[in-house]
């Protein structure tokens, strides 16, 4: 069994969750802060779209945007000297795009459960919006936000469709665990496929257990009066 797929998957999921976590929190806070309901609905639909689209469709759009013959792809290649498609960076990009909606939806739900009276009280004592977010909203929403981060990590770890579209299935470079399973089955190497599946199932179990721990912590917090 080639362990490079395990390393590539863990590295991809670990790097992508940093971007997904930050972008998801900022997007959720921005949407929750909007007062125009129609605009909020439109933005929410756009940000959630990768969750309902087939991953291959999302991968097609990424390939269309970042291909070497496309303006964005040409800019990265000619100006920055970075080729995105069929590189390890493409696996990170695919994981971020596909896992982002899970992080965004979880963070938004957690922010919306924060007691509005506490936010109003913070405003009355002169706290600005950024400080309110850091000192009041984010700490109170942290269990839900953390659970969203765990879900997003798991989704990035298991990403297949968008990854194979934009990153390919290059052994030792872009072949993640899901792609390694696919390649092993396609090549008739069921023993390696079983081993990859066991590794992925084991990691996924630990991720789900972590999510349940944070969810239980959130319920305990809300039971003490954290919600109106």
């Amino acid at each position: 069994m080639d362990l490079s797929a395990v390393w590539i998957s863990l590295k991809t999921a670990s790097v992508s969750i940093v971007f997904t976590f930050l972008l998801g929190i900022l997007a959720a806070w921005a949407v929750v802060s909007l007062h125009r309901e129609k605009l909020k609905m439109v933005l929410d639909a756009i940000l959630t779209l990768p969750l309902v689209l087939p991953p291959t469709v999302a991968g097609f759009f990424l390939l269309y945007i970042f291909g070497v013959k496309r303006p964005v792809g040409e800019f990265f290649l000619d100006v920055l000297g970075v080729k995105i498609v069929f590189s390890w960076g493409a696996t990170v990009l695919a994981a971020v795009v596909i896992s982002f909606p899970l992080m965004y939806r979880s963070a938004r739900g957690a922010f919306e459960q924060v007691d509005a009276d506490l936010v109003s009280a913070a405003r009355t004592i002169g706290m600005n919006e950024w400080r309110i977010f850091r000192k009041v909203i984010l700490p109170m929403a942290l269990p839900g936000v953390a659970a969203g981060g765990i879900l997003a990590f798991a989704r990035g770890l298991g990403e297949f469709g968008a990854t194979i579209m934009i990153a390919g299935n290059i052994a030792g470079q872009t072949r993640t665990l899901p792609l390694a399973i696919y390649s092993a089955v396609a090549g008739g190497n069921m023993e390696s496929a079983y081993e990859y599946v066991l590794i992925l199932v084991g990691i996924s179990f630990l991720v789900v257990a972590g999510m349940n721990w944070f969810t239980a912590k959130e319920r305990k917090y809300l039971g003490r009066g954290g919600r109106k």
Side-chain angles (χ1 to χ4, degrees):
M1 180 181 64
D2 183 9
L3 291 177
S4 65
V6 180
W7 165 242
I8 291 171
S9 286
L10 291 175
K11 184 170 65 169
T12 296
S14 298
V15 173
S16 66
I17 191 57
V18 175
F19 294 100
T20 305
F21 191 79
L22 294 176
L23 292 174
I25 287 176
L26 292 176
W29 181 41
V31 171
V32 169
S33 301
L34 288 174
H35 299 292
R36 297 173 59 183
E37 289 300 322
K38 290 184 179 179
L39 179 59
K40 183 182 294 189
M41 290 174 60
V42 171
L43 288 177
D44 183 76
I46 293 173
L47 295 174
T48 308
L49 195 59
L51 184 64
V52 296
L53 282 176
T56 50
V57 175
F60 172 81
F61 283 117
L62 289 175
L63 189 61
Y64 183 83
I65 294 171
F66 293 97
V68 292
K69 299 299 183 180
R70 309 307 303 176
V72 177
E74 282 186 332
F75 171 80
F76 275 92
L77 184 60
D78 297 338
V79 178
L80 303 179
V82 176
K83 181 184 177 183
I84 295 179
V85 295
F86 304 116
S87 68
W88 174 75
T91 68
V92 175
L93 178 61
V96 169
V97 171
I98 297 301
S99 62
F100 169 83
L102 286 174
M103 184 66 231
Y104 160 72
R105 299 292 299 185
S106 299
R108 179 181 173 180
F111 292 157
E112 289 177 337
Q113 291 183 11
V114 173
D115 193 336
D117 291 338
L118 292 178
V119 177
S120 299
R123 291 194 180 104
T124 60
I125 61 175
M127 294 177 66
N128 59 44
E129 294 300 317
W130 175 239
R131 191 177 180 191
I132 290 173
F133 176 73
R134 290 188 298 111
K135 299 294 186 179
V136 179
I137 298 176
L138 188 57
M140 294 186 66
L142 188 58
V145 170
I150 294 172
L151 276 175
F153 177 87
R155 185 65 187 87
L157 187 69
E159 165 50 32
F160 176 85
T163 302
I164 201 170
M165 287 290 289
I166 191 173
N169 187 11
I170 307 171
Q173 297 183 40
T174 65
R175 181 173 292 173
T176 58
L177 274 171
L179 296 178
I181 294 170
Y182 171 80
S183 299
V185 172
N189 189 354
M190 297 305 295
E191 183 178 351
S192 293
Y194 292 143
E195 293 173 343
Y196 287 131
V197 167
L198 286 175
I199 292 174
L200 192 54
V201 169
I203 296 174
S204 299
F205 176 81
L206 293 176
V207 169
V208 173
M211 182 193 68
N212 289 337
W213 184 84
F214 278 110
T215 302
K217 183 177 179 181
E218 183 179 25
R219 285 199 300 265
K220 183 178 179 182
Y221 167 75
L222 293 175
R224 293 200 304 262
R227 182 171 58 183
K228 290 175 63 178

Tab-separated table of all heavy atoms in Angstrom, residues 37-84:
chain	number	residue	atom	x	y	z
A	37	GLU	N	-33.121	41.502	3.902
A	37	GLU	CA	-33.424	40.079	3.839
A	37	GLU	C	-33.251	39.497	2.441
A	37	GLU	O	-32.788	38.373	2.288
A	37	GLU	CB	-34.849	39.829	4.341
A	37	GLU	CG	-35.016	40.015	5.843
A	37	GLU	CD	-34.125	39.068	6.642
A	37	GLU	OE1	-33.965	37.907	6.218
A	37	GLU	OE2	-33.590	39.495	7.673
A	38	LYS	N	-33.638	40.238	1.415
A	38	LYS	CA	-33.510	39.722	0.052
A	38	LYS	C	-32.053	39.520	-0.327
A	38	LYS	O	-31.683	38.502	-0.926
A	38	LYS	CB	-34.193	40.665	-0.932
A	38	LYS	CG	-35.711	40.671	-0.833
A	38	LYS	CD	-36.328	41.546	-1.906
A	38	LYS	CE	-37.848	41.520	-1.823
A	38	LYS	NZ	-38.475	42.382	-2.859
A	39	LEU	N	-31.214	40.494	0.031
A	39	LEU	CA	-29.783	40.352	-0.244
A	39	LEU	C	-29.200	39.188	0.549
A	39	LEU	O	-28.362	38.433	0.040
A	39	LEU	CB	-29.059	41.655	0.106
A	39	LEU	CG	-27.539	41.665	-0.093
A	39	LEU	CD1	-27.184	41.367	-1.542
A	39	LEU	CD2	-26.952	43.002	0.341
A	40	LYS	N	-29.656	39.037	1.778
A	40	LYS	CA	-29.186	37.929	2.614
A	40	LYS	C	-29.553	36.588	1.988
A	40	LYS	O	-28.738	35.651	1.982
A	40	LYS	CB	-29.795	38.049	4.009
A	40	LYS	CG	-29.321	36.987	4.989
A	40	LYS	CD	-29.991	37.129	6.348
A	40	LYS	CE	-29.581	38.400	7.044
A	40	LYS	NZ	-30.075	38.428	8.450
A	41	MET	N	-30.762	36.492	1.451
A	41	MET	CA	-31.193	35.248	0.818
A	41	MET	C	-30.369	34.922	-0.420
A	41	MET	O	-29.986	33.770	-0.642
A	41	MET	CB	-32.678	35.343	0.453
A	41	MET	CG	-33.618	35.348	1.646
A	41	MET	SD	-35.343	35.640	1.164
A	41	MET	CE	-35.620	34.250	0.069
A	42	VAL	N	-30.066	35.942	-1.211
A	42	VAL	CA	-29.280	35.732	-2.429
A	42	VAL	C	-27.862	35.286	-2.090
A	42	VAL	O	-27.339	34.315	-2.656
A	42	VAL	CB	-29.253	37.009	-3.286
A	42	VAL	CG1	-28.265	36.860	-4.443
A	42	VAL	CG2	-30.642	37.326	-3.825
A	43	LEU	N	-27.228	35.984	-1.157
A	43	LEU	CA	-25.865	35.620	-0.757
A	43	LEU	C	-25.819	34.228	-0.135
A	43	LEU	O	-24.889	33.459	-0.385
A	43	LEU	CB	-25.322	36.663	0.229
A	43	LEU	CG	-24.969	38.028	-0.359
A	43	LEU	CD1	-24.516	38.979	0.747
A	43	LEU	CD2	-23.876	37.894	-1.415
A	44	ASP	N	-26.822	33.931	0.675
A	44	ASP	CA	-26.869	32.615	1.306
A	44	ASP	C	-26.977	31.514	0.248
A	44	ASP	O	-26.322	30.471	0.361
A	44	ASP	CB	-28.064	32.545	2.261
A	44	ASP	CG	-28.118	31.231	3.008
A	44	ASP	OD1	-27.322	31.047	3.946
A	44	ASP	OD2	-28.939	30.366	2.641
A	45	ALA	N	-27.775	31.754	-0.780
A	45	ALA	CA	-27.918	30.764	-1.853
A	45	ALA	C	-26.605	30.571	-2.602
A	45	ALA	O	-26.220	29.443	-2.919
A	45	ALA	CB	-29.024	31.201	-2.818
A	46	ILE	N	-25.911	31.673	-2.876
A	46	ILE	CA	-24.642	31.587	-3.604
A	46	ILE	C	-23.594	30.841	-2.777
A	46	ILE	O	-22.886	29.954	-3.289
A	46	ILE	CB	-24.132	32.994	-3.960
A	46	ILE	CG1	-25.068	33.652	-4.982
A	46	ILE	CG2	-22.705	32.926	-4.518
A	46	ILE	CD1	-24.737	35.101	-5.261
A	47	LEU	N	-23.508	31.173	-1.495
A	47	LEU	CA	-22.497	30.562	-0.635
A	47	LEU	C	-22.788	29.095	-0.334
A	47	LEU	O	-21.875	28.326	-0.045
A	47	LEU	CB	-22.395	31.351	0.677
A	47	LEU	CG	-21.892	32.790	0.549
A	47	LEU	CD1	-21.975	33.522	1.877
A	47	LEU	CD2	-20.470	32.825	0.022
A	48	THR	N	-24.056	28.701	-0.418
A	48	THR	CA	-24.439	27.317	-0.137
A	48	THR	C	-24.422	26.457	-1.393
A	48	THR	O	-24.457	25.225	-1.312
A	48	THR	CB	-25.846	27.279	0.498
A	48	THR	OG1	-25.884	28.179	1.618
A	48	THR	CG2	-26.194	25.887	1.005
A	49	LEU	N	-24.344	27.069	-2.550
A	49	LEU	CA	-24.474	26.356	-3.821
A	49	LEU	C	-23.535	25.156	-3.963
A	49	LEU	O	-23.962	24.090	-4.429
A	49	LEU	CB	-24.263	27.334	-4.976
A	49	LEU	CG	-24.693	26.858	-6.368
A	49	LEU	CD1	-26.175	26.504	-6.368
A	49	LEU	CD2	-24.390	27.926	-7.409
A	50	PRO	N	-22.236	25.275	-3.589
A	50	PRO	CA	-21.366	24.090	-3.744
A	50	PRO	C	-21.817	22.880	-2.940
A	50	PRO	O	-21.407	21.759	-3.240
A	50	PRO	CB	-20.004	24.604	-3.237
A	50	PRO	CG	-20.061	26.074	-3.434
A	50	PRO	CD	-21.482	26.455	-3.145
A	51	LEU	N	-22.674	23.109	-1.934
A	51	LEU	CA	-23.152	21.995	-1.118
A	51	LEU	C	-24.166	21.143	-1.866
A	51	LEU	O	-24.257	19.934	-1.637
A	51	LEU	CB	-23.781	22.538	0.172
A	51	LEU	CG	-24.252	21.517	1.210
A	51	LEU	CD1	-23.074	20.718	1.753
A	51	LEU	CD2	-24.982	22.215	2.353
A	52	VAL	N	-24.930	21.753	-2.765
A	52	VAL	CA	-25.991	21.032	-3.469
A	52	VAL	C	-25.597	20.654	-4.894
A	52	VAL	O	-26.231	19.795	-5.494
A	52	VAL	CB	-27.299	21.863	-3.478
A	52	VAL	CG1	-27.806	22.059	-2.060
A	52	VAL	CG2	-27.092	23.220	-4.131
A	53	LEU	N	-24.578	21.304	-5.430
A	53	LEU	CA	-24.113	20.945	-6.767
A	53	LEU	C	-23.335	19.624	-6.722
A	53	LEU	O	-22.646	19.343	-5.739
A	53	LEU	CB	-23.192	22.027	-7.328
A	53	LEU	CG	-23.823	23.302	-7.882
A	53	LEU	CD1	-22.731	24.272	-8.286
A	53	LEU	CD2	-24.727	22.990	-9.064
A	54	PRO	N	-23.416	18.808	-7.771
A	54	PRO	CA	-22.520	17.644	-7.840
A	54	PRO	C	-21.068	18.124	-7.805
A	54	PRO	O	-20.728	19.117	-8.462
A	54	PRO	CB	-22.864	17.023	-9.200
A	54	PRO	CG	-24.244	17.501	-9.506
A	54	PRO	CD	-24.336	18.876	-8.918
A	55	PRO	N	-20.204	17.457	-7.039
A	55	PRO	CA	-18.806	17.895	-6.960
A	55	PRO	C	-18.116	18.014	-8.308
A	55	PRO	O	-17.244	18.868	-8.494
A	55	PRO	CB	-18.150	16.819	-6.089
A	55	PRO	CG	-19.265	16.297	-5.247
A	55	PRO	CD	-20.485	16.333	-6.132
A	56	THR	N	-18.497	17.170	-9.266
A	56	THR	CA	-17.878	17.264	-10.588
A	56	THR	C	-18.245	18.578	-11.284
A	56	THR	O	-17.442	19.113	-12.049
A	56	THR	CB	-18.314	16.080	-11.472
A	56	THR	OG1	-19.744	15.943	-11.429
A	56	THR	CG2	-17.676	14.785	-10.997
A	57	VAL	N	-19.448	19.079	-11.020
A	57	VAL	CA	-19.845	20.364	-11.596
A	57	VAL	C	-19.025	21.485	-10.976
A	57	VAL	O	-18.542	22.387	-11.676
A	57	VAL	CB	-21.355	20.618	-11.384
A	57	VAL	CG1	-21.739	22.008	-11.876
A	57	VAL	CG2	-22.167	19.556	-12.115
A	58	ALA	N	-18.848	21.435	-9.652
A	58	ALA	CA	-18.001	22.419	-8.988
A	58	ALA	C	-16.578	22.340	-9.524
A	58	ALA	O	-15.922	23.362	-9.757
A	58	ALA	CB	-18.012	22.195	-7.477
A	59	GLY	N	-16.095	21.115	-9.735
A	59	GLY	CA	-14.765	20.935	-10.304
A	59	GLY	C	-14.666	21.476	-11.711
A	59	GLY	O	-13.624	22.023	-12.107
A	60	PHE	N	-15.732	21.336	-12.487
A	60	PHE	CA	-15.749	21.882	-13.841
A	60	PHE	C	-15.592	23.397	-13.821
A	60	PHE	O	-14.813	23.976	-14.590
A	60	PHE	CB	-17.055	21.510	-14.543
A	60	PHE	CG	-17.246	22.188	-15.870
A	60	PHE	CD1	-16.631	21.681	-17.005
A	60	PHE	CD2	-18.008	23.338	-15.976
A	60	PHE	CE1	-16.794	22.313	-18.236
A	60	PHE	CE2	-18.171	23.976	-17.195
A	60	PHE	CZ	-17.567	23.469	-18.330
A	61	PHE	N	-16.326	24.065	-12.914
A	61	PHE	CA	-16.214	25.526	-12.807
A	61	PHE	C	-14.810	25.938	-12.362
A	61	PHE	O	-14.253	26.928	-12.864
A	61	PHE	CB	-17.258	26.071	-11.835
A	61	PHE	CG	-18.637	26.147	-12.414
A	61	PHE	CD1	-19.674	25.405	-11.885
A	61	PHE	CD2	-18.911	26.973	-13.500
A	61	PHE	CE1	-20.951	25.465	-12.418
A	61	PHE	CE2	-20.177	27.050	-14.043
A	61	PHE	CZ	-21.206	26.294	-13.502
A	62	LEU	N	-14.227	25.179	-11.431
A	62	LEU	CA	-12.870	25.482	-10.992
A	62	LEU	C	-11.883	25.320	-12.147
A	62	LEU	O	-10.969	26.139	-12.315
A	62	LEU	CB	-12.474	24.563	-9.837
A	62	LEU	CG	-13.170	24.811	-8.502
A	62	LEU	CD1	-12.771	23.752	-7.471
A	62	LEU	CD2	-12.835	26.205	-7.964
A	63	LEU	N	-12.065	24.261	-12.919
A	63	LEU	CA	-11.196	24.034	-14.069
A	63	LEU	C	-11.369	25.135	-15.104
A	63	LEU	O	-10.401	25.572	-15.734
A	63	LEU	CB	-11.502	22.669	-14.684
A	63	LEU	CG	-10.552	22.153	-15.764
A	63	LEU	CD1	-9.146	21.983	-15.207
A	63	LEU	CD2	-11.067	20.822	-16.318
A	64	TYR	N	-12.599	25.588	-15.265
A	64	TYR	CA	-12.894	26.656	-16.218
A	64	TYR	C	-12.249	27.973	-15.776
A	64	TYR	O	-11.763	28.750	-16.605
A	64	TYR	CB	-14.406	26.840	-16.337
A	64	TYR	CG	-14.822	27.874	-17.364
A	64	TYR	CD1	-14.904	27.542	-18.715
A	64	TYR	CD2	-15.130	29.186	-16.980
A	64	TYR	CE1	-15.282	28.485	-19.654
A	64	TYR	CE2	-15.511	30.126	-17.917
A	64	TYR	CZ	-15.593	29.784	-19.251
A	64	TYR	OH	-15.953	30.724	-20.170
A	65	ILE	N	-12.215	28.220	-14.482
A	65	ILE	CA	-11.669	29.477	-13.962
A	65	ILE	C	-10.141	29.439	-13.888
A	65	ILE	O	-9.453	30.390	-14.285
A	65	ILE	CB	-12.244	29.773	-12.557
A	65	ILE	CG1	-13.749	30.036	-12.657
A	65	ILE	CG2	-11.541	30.979	-11.924
A	65	ILE	CD1	-14.437	30.115	-11.314
A	66	PHE	N	-9.591	28.314	-13.406
A	66	PHE	CA	-8.161	28.257	-13.123
A	66	PHE	C	-7.353	27.490	-14.175
A	66	PHE	O	-6.157	27.257	-13.973
A	66	PHE	CB	-7.924	27.616	-11.749
A	66	PHE	CG	-8.416	28.450	-10.601
A	66	PHE	CD1	-9.655	28.207	-10.038
A	66	PHE	CD2	-7.652	29.491	-10.104
A	66	PHE	CE1	-10.117	28.978	-8.977
A	66	PHE	CE2	-8.100	30.270	-9.050
A	66	PHE	CZ	-9.338	30.016	-8.484
A	67	GLY	N	-7.986	27.087	-15.283
A	67	GLY	CA	-7.241	26.434	-16.348
A	67	GLY	C	-6.160	27.347	-16.910
A	67	GLY	O	-6.279	28.573	-16.873
A	68	VAL	N	-5.117	26.754	-17.448
A	68	VAL	CA	-3.964	27.542	-17.906
A	68	VAL	C	-4.312	28.443	-19.093
A	68	VAL	O	-3.589	29.396	-19.387
A	68	VAL	CB	-2.788	26.616	-18.287
A	68	VAL	CG1	-2.234	25.926	-17.046
A	68	VAL	CG2	-3.212	25.587	-19.332
A	69	LYS	N	-5.408	28.169	-19.764
A	69	LYS	CA	-5.834	28.998	-20.888
A	69	LYS	C	-6.901	30.014	-20.492
A	69	LYS	O	-7.399	30.761	-21.337
A	69	LYS	CB	-6.384	28.118	-22.018
A	69	LYS	CG	-5.364	27.136	-22.594
A	69	LYS	CD	-4.159	27.864	-23.193
A	69	LYS	CE	-3.192	26.886	-23.827
A	69	LYS	NZ	-2.010	27.573	-24.423
A	70	ARG	N	-7.243	30.032	-19.207
A	70	ARG	CA	-8.236	30.981	-18.715
A	70	ARG	C	-7.526	32.177	-18.082
A	70	ARG	O	-6.366	32.060	-17.635
A	70	ARG	CB	-9.163	30.323	-17.695
A	70	ARG	CG	-9.781	29.016	-18.149
A	70	ARG	CD	-10.487	29.144	-19.478
A	70	ARG	NE	-11.530	30.165	-19.466
A	70	ARG	CZ	-12.244	30.532	-20.508
A	70	ARG	NH1	-12.006	29.956	-21.685
A	70	ARG	NH2	-13.172	31.445	-20.410
A	71	PRO	N	-8.176	33.358	-18.027
A	71	PRO	CA	-7.505	34.573	-17.506
A	71	PRO	C	-6.904	34.396	-16.116
A	71	PRO	O	-5.758	34.796	-15.880
A	71	PRO	CB	-8.625	35.609	-17.513
A	71	PRO	CG	-9.534	35.168	-18.607
A	71	PRO	CD	-9.513	33.669	-18.563
A	72	VAL	N	-7.667	33.811	-15.187
A	72	VAL	CA	-7.150	33.646	-13.821
A	72	VAL	C	-5.980	32.672	-13.810
A	72	VAL	O	-4.937	32.922	-13.183
A	72	VAL	CB	-8.262	33.170	-12.871
A	72	VAL	CG1	-7.697	32.930	-11.464
A	72	VAL	CG2	-9.390	34.199	-12.804
A	73	GLY	N	-6.153	31.545	-14.498
A	73	GLY	CA	-5.067	30.561	-14.557
A	73	GLY	C	-3.832	31.113	-15.224
A	73	GLY	O	-2.695	30.847	-14.793
A	74	GLU	N	-4.013	31.889	-16.302
A	74	GLU	CA	-2.875	32.505	-16.992
A	74	GLU	C	-2.155	33.505	-16.091
A	74	GLU	O	-0.912	33.591	-16.116
A	74	GLU	CB	-3.355	33.207	-18.269
A	74	GLU	CG	-3.614	32.262	-19.429
A	74	GLU	CD	-3.944	33.010	-20.706
A	74	GLU	OE1	-4.485	34.136	-20.616
A	74	GLU	OE2	-3.652	32.483	-21.790
A	75	PHE	N	-2.939	34.258	-15.303
A	75	PHE	CA	-2.327	35.232	-14.386
A	75	PHE	C	-1.424	34.520	-13.381
A	75	PHE	O	-0.278	34.933	-13.156
A	75	PHE	CB	-3.418	36.008	-13.658
A	75	PHE	CG	-2.889	36.880	-12.545
A	75	PHE	CD1	-2.328	38.113	-12.820
A	75	PHE	CD2	-2.948	36.455	-11.219
A	75	PHE	CE1	-1.830	38.908	-11.799
A	75	PHE	CE2	-2.457	37.247	-10.193
A	75	PHE	CZ	-1.890	38.480	-10.489
A	76	PHE	N	-1.928	33.457	-12.759
A	76	PHE	CA	-1.124	32.730	-11.780
A	76	PHE	C	0.122	32.122	-12.420
A	76	PHE	O	1.202	32.116	-11.817
A	76	PHE	CB	-1.957	31.619	-11.130
A	76	PHE	CG	-2.788	32.078	-9.968
A	76	PHE	CD1	-4.092	32.490	-10.156
A	76	PHE	CD2	-2.262	32.112	-8.684
A	76	PHE	CE1	-4.866	32.924	-9.090
A	76	PHE	CE2	-3.015	32.533	-7.611
A	76	PHE	CZ	-4.333	32.945	-7.807
A	77	LEU	N	-0.018	31.636	-13.655
A	77	LEU	CA	1.113	30.980	-14.312
A	77	LEU	C	2.141	31.987	-14.824
A	77	LEU	O	3.349	31.815	-14.603
A	77	LEU	CB	0.597	30.120	-15.466
A	77	LEU	CG	1.643	29.282	-16.204
A	77	LEU	CD1	2.320	28.301	-15.255
A	77	LEU	CD2	1.000	28.535	-17.371
A	78	ASP	N	1.669	33.055	-15.497
A	78	ASP	CA	2.592	34.005	-16.126
A	78	ASP	C	3.171	35.007	-15.132
A	78	ASP	O	4.352	35.358	-15.221
A	78	ASP	CB	1.866	34.768	-17.246
A	78	ASP	CG	1.414	33.846	-18.370
A	78	ASP	OD1	2.000	32.745	-18.490
A	78	ASP	OD2	0.486	34.215	-19.117
A	79	VAL	N	2.369	35.474	-14.211
A	79	VAL	CA	2.815	36.520	-13.267
A	79	VAL	C	3.435	35.915	-12.014
A	79	VAL	O	4.505	36.355	-11.565
A	79	VAL	CB	1.631	37.441	-12.887
A	79	VAL	CG1	2.074	38.495	-11.867
A	79	VAL	CG2	1.050	38.111	-14.134
A	80	LEU	N	2.781	34.906	-11.446
A	80	LEU	CA	3.264	34.331	-10.187
A	80	LEU	C	4.076	33.054	-10.380
A	80	LEU	O	4.704	32.574	-9.449
A	80	LEU	CB	2.074	34.043	-9.261
A	80	LEU	CG	1.175	35.249	-8.934
A	80	LEU	CD1	0.026	34.813	-8.029
A	80	LEU	CD2	1.986	36.355	-8.260
A	81	GLY	N	4.035	32.528	-11.607
A	81	GLY	CA	4.783	31.300	-11.873
A	81	GLY	C	4.208	30.082	-11.190
A	81	GLY	O	4.944	29.131	-10.889
A	82	VAL	N	2.899	30.095	-10.945
A	82	VAL	CA	2.238	28.996	-10.236
A	82	VAL	C	1.187	28.368	-11.146
A	82	VAL	O	0.283	29.060	-11.617
A	82	VAL	CB	1.563	29.493	-8.941
A	82	VAL	CG1	0.797	28.351	-8.266
A	82	VAL	CG2	2.594	30.079	-7.995
A	83	LYS	N	1.320	27.104	-11.382
A	83	LYS	CA	0.316	26.364	-12.141
A	83	LYS	C	-0.600	25.672	-11.143
A	83	LYS	O	-0.159	24.825	-10.368
A	83	LYS	CB	0.972	25.334	-13.052
A	83	LYS	CG	-0.027	24.546	-13.885
A	83	LYS	CD	0.663	23.472	-14.699
A	83	LYS	CE	-0.355	22.640	-15.479
A	83	LYS	NZ	0.293	21.538	-16.225
A	84	ILE	N	-1.874	26.052	-11.173
A	84	ILE	CA	-2.808	25.539	-10.187
A	84	ILE	C	-3.360	24.172	-10.574
A	84	ILE	O	-3.352	23.245	-9.759
A	84	ILE	CB	-3.956	26.543	-9.960
A	84	ILE	CG1	-3.399	27.830	-9.345
A	84	ILE	CG2	-5.032	25.938	-9.055
A	84	ILE	CD1	-4.434	28.891	-9.101
